Amino acid sequence: MSYHFNDIEAKWQKYWAENQTFKASNTSDKPKYYVLDMFPYPSGAGLHVGHPLGYIASDIYARYKRHKGFNVLHPQGYDSFGLPAEQYAIQTGQHPAITTETNIKTYRRQLDQIGFSFDWSREVRTSNPEYYKWTQWIFIQLFNSWYNNNSNKAENISELIKIFKAEGNANINAVCDDTVYSFSAEDWNAYTSEEQQAILLQYRLTYLAETEVNWCPALGTVLANDEIVNGVSERGGHPVIRKKMTQWSMRISAYAERLLQGLETIDWTDSLKESQRNWIGKSVGASVTFNVMSSEMLKQVQHDKSERHSELDSESHHTIEVFTTRPDTIFGASFMTLAPEHELVSKITTDEQKSEVEAYILATSKRSERDRMADVKTISGVFTGAYAEHPFTKEPIPIWIGDYVLAGYGTGAVMSVPCGDQRDYDFAKHFNIPIPNIFEGVDISEEAFADKDNTVIANSDFLNGLKYKKAVKTAIYELEKLGQGEGKTNYRLRDAVFSRQRYWGEPFPVYYVNGMPQMIEAKHLPIRLPEVEKYLPTETGEPPLGRADVWAWDTNTNTVVSNSLCHSALDAESIEDNGIYPLELNTMPGWAGSSWYFFRYMEDAMRDEAFASETALKYWENVDLYIGGSEHATGHLLYSRFWVKFLKDRGFVGVEEPFKKLINQGMILGTSAFVYRRITYINVVNNGLIRWIPVKHVPIFKSFNENLFTDKSFKDEQAENKFLNWLKFELPPLHQLKLKQLIGDDLLVDSLNSLSNNEILDFLKGKIEFQYVKLHADVSMVNSSDELDTEDFKNWRAEFKDAEFIAEEDGTFKVKREVEKMSKSKYNVVNPDNICEQYGADSLRLYEMFLGPLEQAKPWNTAGITGVHGFLKKLWKLYVGENGLRVNDAEPTKDNLKTLHKTIKKVEDDIENFSFNTSVSTFMIAVNELTAQKCTSKAILEPLLIVLSPYAPHITEELWSQLGNNQSISTAMFPKFEEKHLVESSKNYPISFNGKMRFTLELPLDMSKDDIEAAVMAHDKTKAQLDGREPKKVIVVPGKIVNIVG
RNA sequence: GCUCAAGUGGCGGAAUUGGUAGACGCGCUGGAUUCAAAAUCCAGUUUCUUCGGAAGUGUGGGUUCGAUUCCCACCUUGAGUACCA
């Protein structure tokens, strides 16, 4: 009876599904534990071996926790809204829902064959109306909320309206738009409904605003900052431009401080917390207001400094607000710089400087964001001709514009302190602006001095002699006295744009009356995606939903009705308002559905009275362990935290953070195979130009070895002769048409035209050069010794059908191996289906864990799987012999018990520490030892199965049942570790000389220090090592080591 | 540039409080079995060596009886981030 893994695995997967073995209960005496994977986007390509890595780890942990007596929730689902299905729909007309359904089927089959212990009864799909109904509901709650800075939480907007009615907004301390102005209760009550709605939008946690967005013309949509990589779209690499659009935004900035503080309370890796901190980007400093000086003031300064007054001409009075983290260096400010886009630039620029400034603004606006970022070294800027007044010295300081100041950060203006900031320093040097030194005893002749800790301020009036912290405090105090500044904290975190011009996403539950957004009542949700003919934006540039015919809201019947009935579509002037209004055409972004799905899983019966019932939310609280990729560090993981904090504020959930512990699994890399193709060139000088002309002919590939040229071209007489012969015999007679096909260079062909065949060959002699270029070969065509199956390769692509191969001397054709990201385009993906078929799911699971530490990136090499597969066979043989089960009731030996208990201890520790790779080694050692001990004792072999079952659930379940158990092994309790089986009576002491181990010596553990020393000193090998020398010192650590110095 | 992580045999990696470096597996070498192959089993496998030993965890220094582990400087690689005032 051998190990038939295919049968065993199919049998138990069926059993688990039929018996709902892993269905979690929402009522239990056991403590709860919630293990979650980041749910996948079901892409058409299916899974490769890199995808299940995190799922295997979480599954091991979930199964382990069940053995440890926890009520475990381990669900799975699909993030099924997304761009690829939409792109596919645009190309083929296929409805994205159909593509998505097909892909999910494939995913499910692939996941099932790996034997995960998911509770599929709780599956969620973000694109299901029953699910996105609640995404829409959360959106409505955000719309109906504002952020009260006094209570430091989100509150119902109705409270705000009450206050407005009673006392206006004078006492409101809210997170809101910068543009709000103050009004009294009387004002408020006199406003029209539209005016009131417009004001409220400035306070709501989701709001409509004209925002500059990242518009991707190729994708026809707006992208979030984290969807852009190096200035191009993350998907497809298309260029992105800045564009103003009216968009829904999320006031995530209200939560900046809490998102930052909350990091202290959760168990995430430092690097992940660090990226969130960077993303939030808190900086503490001051906001300072500078007065722009009028020409009269300037004249006054020049005439008589002492009699100068700060009487400001109200007509031309402008102020510039800047943010600085170094208010202590304010006396070092020798100029100011505005971003070219700053609104004040046009107002303050003098006539003399106007043309120069305008030219500069035009030039920078033409440069893309990407160019600006790439080109950091070039210093550019223009003087506006205007001056600002220094708040303390009252001296005029010139105002410049420069593109090193970004419009999008802070106020888009800086006070430039060249002695303390390298960018200001470089700018000042470049334009010959003075660089006053305000640091005591610091040389600034070469570069700026930015160190805070060792700073003592000088040449700064009342700040002289003060250290950094004190100076900052004093400067802020003095600024406040002048009314020209205050302490301020700035965050990099921007409000998140929430609209997408796409079809395949959640529709907004929003319609518009007189241009103002209205929420549809929750009881009428979900608002389902309408049918459209095409999935592209409309000709007029509206989102795809603009193509829907039935996409208007009837407030009389509370249903979606035909657009043609819409009040605005009819002759609105002459017809009375009929209560039918246009619906929102944008859809929600990908992160909407994924920001709360972990709560939906908590619901056991998928009730519809709430996004999850109160009892379910109370029971499961939040995710205890979350495993997924680090690519979500600043997107999904930040937005989820934001939504959870919001839901907490409004009393819908009881937790402040969604994910208590988070682990990022590392990427599994592919081992790409490269073949080297020989390119033939004709190297001619024509009209004084050196021309490299690639010749088109049969592809030639060369086996890879160490001596292969790869970087530059080379001459090879033999190969050249071969090529010329080929030219002579394969293609006679040479004439222009043939030459053109072959060479494709008109100039050269023309010059050869008048020559005979032999003359052409003579001409080409000595001008033929070669170069090797590498290209990917599919890894499935390569064996474990890096040999390419050349027949497969020829059949791979039509262009290689007649390819020639230059093999090694032994006839093999080798490829070069390189480790890269696993991807379809690199032809290095390994499909788990094949692995499961050939080695089984248990082997796959063990091998993925065995590869290395979970969080580390590591290359996949299928050849290595034989190791763990051999282990499973060996395990099988330990339990099952030729004539059936060999397990009996034999009394376990001391060695048996020692092996078992050392394994229990190690595996337990490993799982708790997520060190899954080392447990696999431990299992191998245990089986090797028990096999050597010829162990047949059930008392040992039965508990061993439980310890192994989280890793290899199928084989252990089978053997468990063969041992006569009729309950699933997943219900068994983890065996208890007993220290007594590991207690030793003696120790094999390493004997070191000057720290180097030279030999070992077996001594009883209860031996005293002195006796150990005596025993070691008396040993022959000690005498040999010392070679007659007298040791200076002997260190004896009982139970550990002996070290002899001298 | 900044932040973080990491550097150990031919390869993946182990060494969990500073205490026997290279566990476990792959690959490779030799052997057994076989008509042969696969599979399986046994032995060996860091380097050098005068076969006694000696050196050795990116480089250089330090702390220590003792350092892959702690400290300092540097080099390399990977990831993230970027004119953030």
Side-chain angles (χ1 to χ4, degrees):
Chain A
M1 285 230 295
S2 59
Y3 169 43
H4 295 295
F5 52 87
N6 293 119
D7 298 341
I8 292 170
E9 292 179 359
K11 171 181 162 188
W12 289 105
Q13 282 163 17
K14 188 158 168 263
Y15 175 92
W16 296 330
E18 282 172 357
N19 292 280
Q20 298 213 48
T21 307
F22 304 112
K23 192 166 163 42
S25 167
N26 274 15
T27 49
S28 171
D29 301 334
K30 300 173 182 173
K32 71 100 188 182
Y33 202 88
Y34 186 0
V35 182
L36 185 64
D37 296 297
M38 289 184 186
F39 61 168
Y41 173 77
S43 84
L47 296 174
H48 64 61
V49 290
H51 294 118
L53 180 74
Y55 304 155
I56 294 170
S58 65
D59 196 58
I60 289 168
Y61 204 79
R63 286 174 179 270
Y64 168 76
K65 278 290 182 182
R66 288 193 195 97
H67 288 307
K68 280 288 190 178
F70 286 83
N71 182 30
V72 172
L73 174 57
H74 187 38
Q76 187 57 287
Y78 305 96
D79 192 8
S80 46
F81 274 132
L83 208 45
E86 177 150 334
Q87 298 283 59
Y88 189 73
I90 290 169
Q91 285 158 22
T92 63
Q94 172 99 274
H95 196 289
I98 296 171
T99 322
T100 302
E101 183 66 36
T102 312
N103 293 348
I104 285 179
K105 281 218 174 80
T106 308
Y107 260 68
R108 180 63 190 271
R109 182 187 57 73
Q110 289 192 300
L111 290 171
D112 281 348
Q113 77 185 352
I114 302 173
F116 293 120
S117 65
F118 292 130
D119 176 358
W120 282 107
S121 73
R122 298 174 187 243
E123 178 193 301
V124 304
R125 300 180 186 183
T126 53
S127 62
N128 271 4
E130 297 74 41
Y131 178 83
Y132 69 65
K133 165 183 175 170
W134 293 104
T135 312
Q136 293 172 336
W137 180 85
I138 293 172
F139 175 82
I140 296 172
Q141 306 315 310
L142 282 154
F143 183 83
N144 288 332
S145 303
W146 63 294
Y147 200 90
N148 186 345
N149 275 332
N150 289 338
S151 61
N152 200 21
K153 63 177 205 171
E155 293 178 4
N156 197 320
I157 198 86
S158 60
E159 297 299 317
L160 186 67
I161 297 171
K162 263 189 220 161
I163 301 170
F164 285 172
K165 269 185 187 159
E167 51 185 82
N169 70 350
N171 297 320
I172 296 291
N173 180 11
V175 179
C176 56
D177 290 2
D178 301 333
T179 50
V180 295
Y181 53 91
S182 57
F183 53 83
S184 66
E186 291 74 35
D187 294 337
W188 173 260
N189 294 322
Y191 289 147
T192 65
S193 165
E194 272 82 25
E195 284 169 335
Q196 290 182 342
Q197 287 179 48
I199 289 168
L200 287 171
L201 262 184
Q202 299 185 308
Y203 288 86
R204 297 180 190 274
L205 285 186
T206 185
Y207 60 98
L208 273 176
E210 172 108 322
T211 38
E212 194 162 84
V213 295
N214 306 301
W215 174 256
C216 179
L219 297 173
T221 191
V222 164
L223 299 173
N225 284 334
D226 53 281
E227 290 171 309
I228 301 168
V229 179
N230 296 328
V232 297
S233 66
E234 189 183 22
R235 253 178 214 287
H238 304 294
V240 175
I241 57 165
R242 310 285 296 166
K243 185 179 169 183
K244 283 213 162 175
M245 282 179 81
T246 301
Q247 302 276 314
W248 285 103
S249 280
M250 287 280 164
R251 222 178 282 281
I252 188 173
S253 56
Y255 286 87
E257 187 61 33
R258 274 167 69 187
L259 287 167
L260 191 66
Q261 294 307 322
L263 291 172
E264 306 298 324
T265 67
I266 48 185
D267 184 7
W268 294 12
T269 60
D270 288 338
S271 69
L272 199 79
K273 289 185 183 181
E274 196 56 31
S275 20
Q276 292 221 342
R277 278 188 203 110
N278 286 339
W279 198 258
I280 295 166
K282 181 178 183 174
S283 33
V284 181
S287 112
V288 184
T289 308
F290 285 78
N291 293 315
V292 179
M293 296 175 93
S294 64
S295 42
E296 285 73 29
M297 288 164 70
L298 274 169
K299 274 182 210 143
Q300 222 177 357
V301 170
Q302 281 152 12
H303 279 296
D304 186 356
K305 284 183 181 179
S306 58
E307 276 185 41
R308 188 184 68 248
H309 303 290
S310 290
E311 285 161 25
L312 297 168
D313 175 359
S314 61
E315 288 283 301
S316 60
H317 175 221
H318 295 293
T319 60
I320 300 173
E321 199 191 330
V322 303
F323 174 75
T324 175
T325 53
R326 296 294 303 273
D328 56 316
T329 63
I330 192 161
F331 285 92
S334 58
F335 61 106
M336 296 187 75
T337 315
L338 308 185
E341 298 91 342
H342 198 282
E343 52 166 11
L344 226 53
V345 173
S346 58
K347 294 174 185 158
I348 60 167
T349 303
T350 59
D351 294 342
E352 303 90 77
Q353 294 299 109
K354 200 169 178 184
S355 59
E356 212 182 322
V357 165
E358 278 173 1
Y360 182 74
I361 292 173
L362 189 69
T364 34
S365 72
K366 275 189 185 155
R367 296 176 77 192
S368 70
E369 195 91 341
R370 200 183 184 184
D371 292 342
R372 243 166 108 166
M373 280 197 292
D375 181 22
V376 182
K377 289 186 190 84
T378 313
I379 295 161
S380 72
V382 178
F383 178 44
T384 63
Y387 290 84
E389 181 193 66
H390 191 282
F392 297 118
T393 66
K394 308 296 179 193
E395 292 291 331
I397 57 178
I399 304 172
W400 286 66
I401 61 173
D403 67 359
Y404 80 96
V405 177
L406 305 176
Y409 183 77
T411 60
V414 299
M415 63 172 212
S416 301
V417 183
C419 66
D421 182 290
Q422 194 58 43
R423 288 157 306 164
D424 295 342
Y425 186 90
D426 295 340
F427 195 89
K429 267 264 150 92
H430 191 260
F431 291 109
N432 278 321
I433 303 168
I435 305 176
N437 189 356
I438 49 132
F439 299 119
E440 210 170 275
V442 168
D443 174 24
I444 54 151
S445 59
E446 292 297 325
E447 55 178 7
F449 178 78
D451 188 16
K452 290 176 188 172
D453 297 331
N454 305 315
T455 308
V456 176
I457 304 291
N459 302 325
S460 296
D461 197 353
F462 52 85
L463 296 177
N464 284 343
L466 297 180
K467 287 192 173 171
Y468 166 68
K469 274 192 177 164
K470 191 86 197 286
V472 168
K473 255 188 158 168
T474 312
I476 291 174
Y477 174 77
E478 292 294 333
L479 280 167
E480 279 173 355
K481 255 191 359 199
L482 282 180
Q484 280 190 259
E486 58 185 347
K488 197 183 170 185
T489 302
N490 214 18
Y491 298 91
R492 195 178 81 103
L493 184 69
R494 306 278 81 157
D495 281 351
V497 175
F498 198 65
S499 297
R500 294 292 183 277
Q501 292 66 44
R502 285 180 199 156
Y503 177 76
W504 194 229
E506 297 87 349
F508 284 86
V510 172
Y511 61 95
Y512 290 88
V513 179
N514 297 330
M516 296 310 296
Q518 313 295 326
M519 293 296 123
I520 290 169
E521 270 186 84
K523 63 183 171 193
H524 307 307
L525 300 180
I527 302 304
R528 288 164 193 266
L529 260 181
E531 293 303 317
V532 292
E533 249 178 72
K534 281 203 258 178
Y535 302 94
L536 282 167
T538 67
E539 281 70 30
T540 54
E542 284 180 329
L545 293 194
R547 293 180 181 274
D549 294 326
V550 183
W551 197 237
W553 185 249
D554 185 339
T555 56
N556 310 301
T557 60
N558 291 312
T559 50
V560 177
V561 297
S562 170
N563 302 357
S564 59
L565 302 171
C566 204
H567 178 237
S568 58
L570 305 166
D571 188 352
E573 289 292 312
S574 60
I575 296 176
E576 240 181 272
D577 189 342
N578 64 357
I580 300 175
Y581 306 104
L583 281 157
E584 168 73 55
L585 299 182
N586 288 293
T587 53
M588 298 186 195
W591 56 269
S594 60
S595 292
W596 71 278
Y597 74 109
F598 36 88
F599 288 130
R600 188 65 177 166
Y601 285 134
M602 294 177 180
E603 190 56 68
D604 53 351
M606 286 303 150
R607 277 180 281 268
D608 203 36
E609 72 234 14
F611 63 88
S613 68
E614 219 172 292
T615 49
L617 287 165
K618 203 168 169 192
Y619 181 73
W620 293 110
E621 293 179 318
N622 49 12
V623 177
D624 294 285
L625 173 65
Y626 196 32
I627 297 188
S630 56
E631 66 272 19
H632 297 109
T634 48
H636 162 61
L637 289 172
L638 201 62
Y639 296 131
S640 305
R641 295 182 59 223
F642 158 43
W643 275 28
V644 168
K645 286 178 192 303
F646 162 72
L647 291 170
K648 164 96 190 304
D649 285 353
R650 295 297 315 275
F652 300 120
V653 303
V655 293
E656 180 80 19
E657 289 285 345
F659 316 118
K660 276 196 244 178
K661 183 174 177 66
L662 184 133
I663 290 181
N664 290 130
Q665 86 272 18
M667 209 190 318
I668 289 197
L669 305 167
T671 317
S672 299
F674 286 98
V675 291
Y676 283 87
R677 180 173 181 172
R678 197 168 78 190
I679 308 290
T680 309
Y681 291 98
I682 302 171
N683 185 2
V684 287
V685 180
N686 222 336
N687 294 343
L689 287 170
I690 297 173
R691 300 167 64 79
W692 283 70
I693 302 161
V695 180
K696 289 169 210 150
H697 70 125
V698 180
I700 298 173
F701 296 97
K702 171 103 171 66
S703 174
F704 172 77
N705 61 48
E706 308 275 285
N707 307 319
L708 191 71
F709 286 98
T710 54
D711 44 354
K712 53 184 178 216
S713 70
F714 59 95
K715 293 198 176 192
D716 180 328
E717 206 175 325
Q718 218 183 329
E720 176 175 292
N721 287 336
K722 208 180 155 207
F723 170 75
L724 292 175
N725 266 327
W726 173 80
L727 206 60
K728 196 168 170 184
F729 293 109
E730 296 293 319
L731 285 171
L734 293 177
H735 55 76
Q736 216 186 348
L737 189 67
K738 281 265 158 76
L739 275 174
K740 264 209 156 132
Q741 286 173 355
L742 196 67
I743 298 173
D745 182 87
D746 291 337
L747 257 164
L748 182 60
V749 173
D750 288 348
S751 66
L752 296 178
N753 200 23
S754 56
L755 302 180
S756 73
N757 280 9
N758 279 338
E759 283 171 329
I760 290 173
L761 293 173
D762 277 349
F763 170 80
L764 292 177
K765 213 168 170 52
K767 297 191 172 71
I768 308 298
E769 295 195 7
F770 305 95
Q771 187 176 5
Y772 286 110
V773 296
K774 62 179 184 180
L775 66 147
H776 282 100
D778 196 302
V779 289
S780 65
M781 302 183 298
V782 182
N783 70 11
S784 58
S785 307
D786 300 344
E787 291 160 14
L788 180 75
D789 186 320
T790 51
E791 285 309 308
D792 280 5
F793 188 77
K794 281 183 182 179
N795 294 330
W796 189 36
R797 285 195 204 155
E799 59 195 289
F800 299 150
K801 199 174 57 161
D802 302 313
E804 286 176 25
F805 296 91
I806 304 167
E808 298 296 316
E809 279 175 9
D810 61 1
T812 60
F813 188 93
K814 302 243 179 189
V815 297
K816 180 164 195 248
R817 291 288 201 171
E818 263 174 49
V819 170
E820 309 180 277
K821 192 175 170 178
M822 196 175 273
S823 99
K824 226 175 156 183
S825 64
K826 295 183 165 61
Y827 300 103
N828 60 4
V829 292
V830 179
N831 189 317
D833 299 12
N834 303 336
I835 304 282
C836 286
E837 198 188 317
Q838 236 184 311
Y839 301 98
D842 285 337
S843 292
L844 176 72
R845 291 170 65 107
L846 282 170
Y847 189 51
E848 295 230 356
M849 292 300 104
F850 189 54
L851 281 177
L854 179 60
E855 300 182 57
Q856 198 173 297
K858 45 213 171 267
W860 178 270
N861 171 18
T862 304
I865 201 171
T866 54
V868 292
H869 188 65
F871 155 74
L872 288 175
K873 287 201 265 194
K874 210 166 166 187
L875 175 84
W876 184 263
K877 282 208 299 202
L878 183 60
Y879 289 76
V880 185
E882 293 286 319
N883 312 310
L885 209 61
R886 55 170 20 141
V887 181
N888 56 32
D889 291 329
E891 195 63 29
T893 66
K894 239 182 144 174
D895 283 345
N896 293 163
L897 284 163
K898 188 174 159 191
T899 299
L900 175 67
H901 283 271
K902 142 181 122 176
T903 305
I904 294 170
K905 175 90 171 81
K906 176 87 174 103
V907 173
E908 205 171 314
D909 288 353
D910 282 348
I911 296 180
E912 303 280 3
N913 292 312
F914 302 93
S915 173
F916 301 111
N917 53 330
T918 47
S919 320
V920 181
S921 309
T922 306
F923 292 131
M924 290 173 171
I925 294 167
V927 168
N928 287 345
E929 286 182 4
L930 292 173
T931 303
Q933 294 162 14
K934 298 195 165 49
C935 174
T936 56
S937 168
K938 191 175 175 183
I940 299 297
L941 296 178
E942 195 172 63
L944 182 69
L945 288 177
I946 304 170
V947 180
L948 177 60
S949 79
Y951 291 79
H954 307 86
I955 190 174
T956 48
E957 190 82 270
E958 173 66 23
L959 292 170
W960 178 256
S961 93
Q962 288 202 17
L963 289 182
N965 295 289
N966 45 28
Q967 286 279 315
S968 166
I969 193 169
S970 63
T971 61
M973 288 305 282
F974 205 79
K976 204 171 169 333
F977 166 65
E978 286 171 30
E979 181 82 52
K980 65 180 178 199
H981 298 298
L982 302 191
V983 175
E984 301 276 354
S985 61
S986 67
K987 159 89 187 169
N988 197 20
Y989 277 94
I991 313 302
S992 305
F993 292 82
N994 298 317
K996 281 259 164 220
M997 202 281 289
R998 291 308 176 206
F999 64 94
T1000 60
L1001 184 59
E1002 187 87 20
L1003 292 171
L1005 264 172
D1006 55 10
M1007 208 177 200
S1008 75
K1009 235 173 150 171
D1010 292 343
D1011 292 348
I1012 293 172
E1013 187 173 336
V1016 170
M1017 293 315 293
H1019 201 272
D1020 286 347
K1021 284 194 177 172
T1022 309
K1023 286 172 185 151
Q1025 275 294 332
L1026 287 172
D1027 196 22
R1029 281 168 292 135
E1030 201 48 40
K1032 287 190 189 119
K1033 204 170 173 186
V1034 179
I1035 312 274
V1036 178
V1037 185
K1040 290 245 178 189
I1041 198 170
V1042 178
N1043 190 20
I1044 298 160
V1045 186

